DNA sequence: CCTAGATTGTGAAGGTTTTCACAAGCTCGT
DNA sequence: ACGAGCTTGTGAAAACCTTCACAATCTAGG
């Protein structure tokens, strides 16, 4: 008998990314006062096909109305729930350098349910400053402060050679999700999800596209 | 008779991303003085399998030695060529705000063959400043200056509502590759490749991972 | 020169994701 | 109350990507 989790079955990552996109467009439709949206309209905005949209949604049940489409509010609520956006997530940023402070000062995350509750840096010149309304703490108190702040997600924006050490400490402090900007691959204990944003790699993908046209 | 390009056939994007990774590890092996590397070693560093590594490379020919592995220098050179990194790419950054200036001041890109040659902004207070050794130009002169600078790739770091306009102008100015940080989907003419780095979306993928454990 | 041991290159199998195609179901105008 | 016109939900087919498995080929050591 195959193992069966109480919650949702495994969903492919491309599907999750598309769901995020659908949510954005739905919110735009919602602001525009549209009561229902069809899979074709959602597909058009997101550069995919209506069949793909329906397949993606059918994973979670069937909440469309044949002949009409999907109820905008209802689908927004459903997608928020699926993506875990029906609550606020508490974010910490480790490394208040160029990237870290750009993120800390970005007002857009709060509106999408991600609240920066703490910032950490090793440089005494940065500790004590305030970025985007949040104080910068000394990384020495990372573990205790993260527990105190009840952080869910950490953004790692430290130099590459520090990334592994901090990732390990974050894991021990109970953080289960890390968004990493360093280039090195991280080893984390099971139960911790890491996503890497590797800008040099993105440029290399563009480079490849340019030479293979 | 099927159409046949002189250059390489279509390669899947996951493959291209892995090739970038292999190149990183190979460069580390090269610095460590290793003359040859096996598919197993490359796979281990990158979290994939030896069969995957060999399959990826076999796409471009067979440059390994059975019983030995791959010649480090040779494979580095070959991957650079495949990825188009055997030349320097000329980058412009449009939008010298939080993200744009973080990138402009990042010294790491030049070492990987991406040179920032121009920065543009609409804000008169920013025009004329120097970031990372490069002057900020008024976006009014975008087209002419881009042609003059012979830019290959543009980084788009303007507010979301400006992104489409600038993307269109970039396309007209002869830029064939765009790295976009705004959240909106861009419409670009055929022949222009866009990669989006959507940080809110990355956080949403983490959110989903957190709730579906 | 020959054998033991290692590693590549690649067809074939397996798995996953996307696309196709159409019956079923809903709405709205008459 | 009914038919025309859309749109969903979903099996089946197709496309795509990864893993398997092994013959072919190389090195190194005696
Ligand atoms: N800036 C970019 O455009 C860019 C581009 C690509 C990749 N990255 C990567 O992103 C990461 C951050 O880059 P950045 O440009 O912001 O670097 P940065 O040097 O501007 O900032 C790094 C910050 O981390 C702090 N720090 C160092 N060690 C620490 C520790 N152990 N604990 C806490 N803080 C510590 C430093 O004091 C500094 O403030 C790096 O891994 C870099 O390779 C940055
Ligand atoms: N900062 C972040 O952490 C972050 C996070 C997620 C997404 N983003 C996205 O990245 C983009 C840039 O964000 P940011 O935080 O750097 O914004 P920002 O407001 O700090 O900077 C935007 C810059 O673009 C300039 N600008 C405006 N219109 C322009 C035009 N037509 N041509 C040229 N320049 C123009 C502004 O003068 C400003 O300097 C936005 O689309 C934002 O949504 C940023």
């Amino acid at each position: 008998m195959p193992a069966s989790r109480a919650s949702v079955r495994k969903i492919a990552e491309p599907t999750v990314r598309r769901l995020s996109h659908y949510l954005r467009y739905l919110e735009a439709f919602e602001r525009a006062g549209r009561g229902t949206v069809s899979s074709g309209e959602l597909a058009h905005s997101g550069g995919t096909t209506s069949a793909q949209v329906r397949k993606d949604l059918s994973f979670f049940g069937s909440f469309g109305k044949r002949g009409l489409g999907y109820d905008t509010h209802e689908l927004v609520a459903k997608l928020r729930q699926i993506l875990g956006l029906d609550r606020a997530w508490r974010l910490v940023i480790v490394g208040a350098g160029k990237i870290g402070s750009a993120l800390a000062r970005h007002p857009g995350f709060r509106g999408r349910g991600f609240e920066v509750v703490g910032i950490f840096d090793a440089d005494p010149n940065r500790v004590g400053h305030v970025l985007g309304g949040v104080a910068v703490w000394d990384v020495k108190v990372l573990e205790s402060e993260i527990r105190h702040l009840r952080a869910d997600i950490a953004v790692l924006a430290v130099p590459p050679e520090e990334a592994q050490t901090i990732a390990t400490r974050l894991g021990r402090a109970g953080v289960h999700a890390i968004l990493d900007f360093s280039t090195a691959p991280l080893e984390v204990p099971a139960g911790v999800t890491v996503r890497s944003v590797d800008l040099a790699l993105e440029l290399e993908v563009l480079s490849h596209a340019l030479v293979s046209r």
Side-chain angles (χ1 to χ4, degrees), chain A:
Chain A
M1 195 186 300
S4 103
R5 298 255 173 168
S7 74
V8 184
R9 221 52 58 94
K10 210 204 97 198
I11 290 132
E13 187 186 306
T15 304
V16 175
R17 301 182 78 87
R18 285 192 300 267
L19 292 178
S20 281
H21 270 128
Y22 303 157
L23 179 55
R24 298 264 177 92
Y25 301 124
L26 276 167
E27 286 167 342
F29 280 120
E30 205 175 30
R31 280 193 298 277
R34 294 284 308 275
T36 62
V37 181
S38 73
S39 57
E41 290 170 303
L42 273 180
H44 188 73
S45 349
T48 179
T49 69
S50 65
Q52 180 80 77
V53 171
R54 294 198 300 276
K55 209 27 147 211
D56 287 341
L57 296 178
S58 76
F59 233 117
F60 306 95
S62 53
F63 15 82
K65 281 225 183 5
R66 296 175 186 219
L68 244 198
Y70 300 87
D71 181 280
T72 314
H73 300 304
E74 197 186 315
L75 192 52
V76 163
K78 192 74 195 172
L79 286 179
R80 287 228 179 94
Q81 190 215 97
I82 292 167
L83 292 171
L85 301 175
D86 50 356
R87 47 161 292 178
W89 294 104
R90 300 172 68 80
L91 230 71
V92 294
I93 296 174
V94 188
K98 295 184 279 295
I99 287 281
S101 58
L103 294 170
R105 282 150 41 214
H106 181 62
F109 293 137
R110 185 159 309 194
R112 294 203 66 77
F114 298 95
E115 186 175 7
V116 177
V117 295
I119 308 174
F120 299 88
D121 202 292
D123 182 346
N125 294 321
R126 298 190 190 256
V127 173
H129 285 214
V130 174
L131 289 173
V134 179
V136 179
W137 293 79
D138 193 312
V139 73
K140 282 177 194 153
V141 299
L142 186 74
E143 285 86 347
S144 61
E145 198 53 29
I146 278 185
R147 288 189 191 284
H148 182 237
L149 292 167
R150 303 190 317 283
D152 306 295
I153 304 177
V155 175
L156 239 185
V158 299
E161 60 276 14
E162 302 285 333
Q164 181 61 65
T165 308
I166 302 290
T168 306
R169 290 175 64 186
L170 288 168
R172 275 205 295 268
V175 170
H176 292 279
I178 296 176
L179 185 62
D180 179 32
F181 283 86
S182 86
T183 219
L186 296 182
E187 303 254 333
V188 289
V192 178
T193 305
V194 176
R195 293 203 57 77
S196 293
V197 175
D198 187 334
L199 300 176
L201 190 138
E202 300 298 335
L203 289 176
E204 291 178 8
V205 174
L206 285 177
S207 166
H208 171 77
L210 284 173
V211 295
S212 62
R213 289 188 312 143

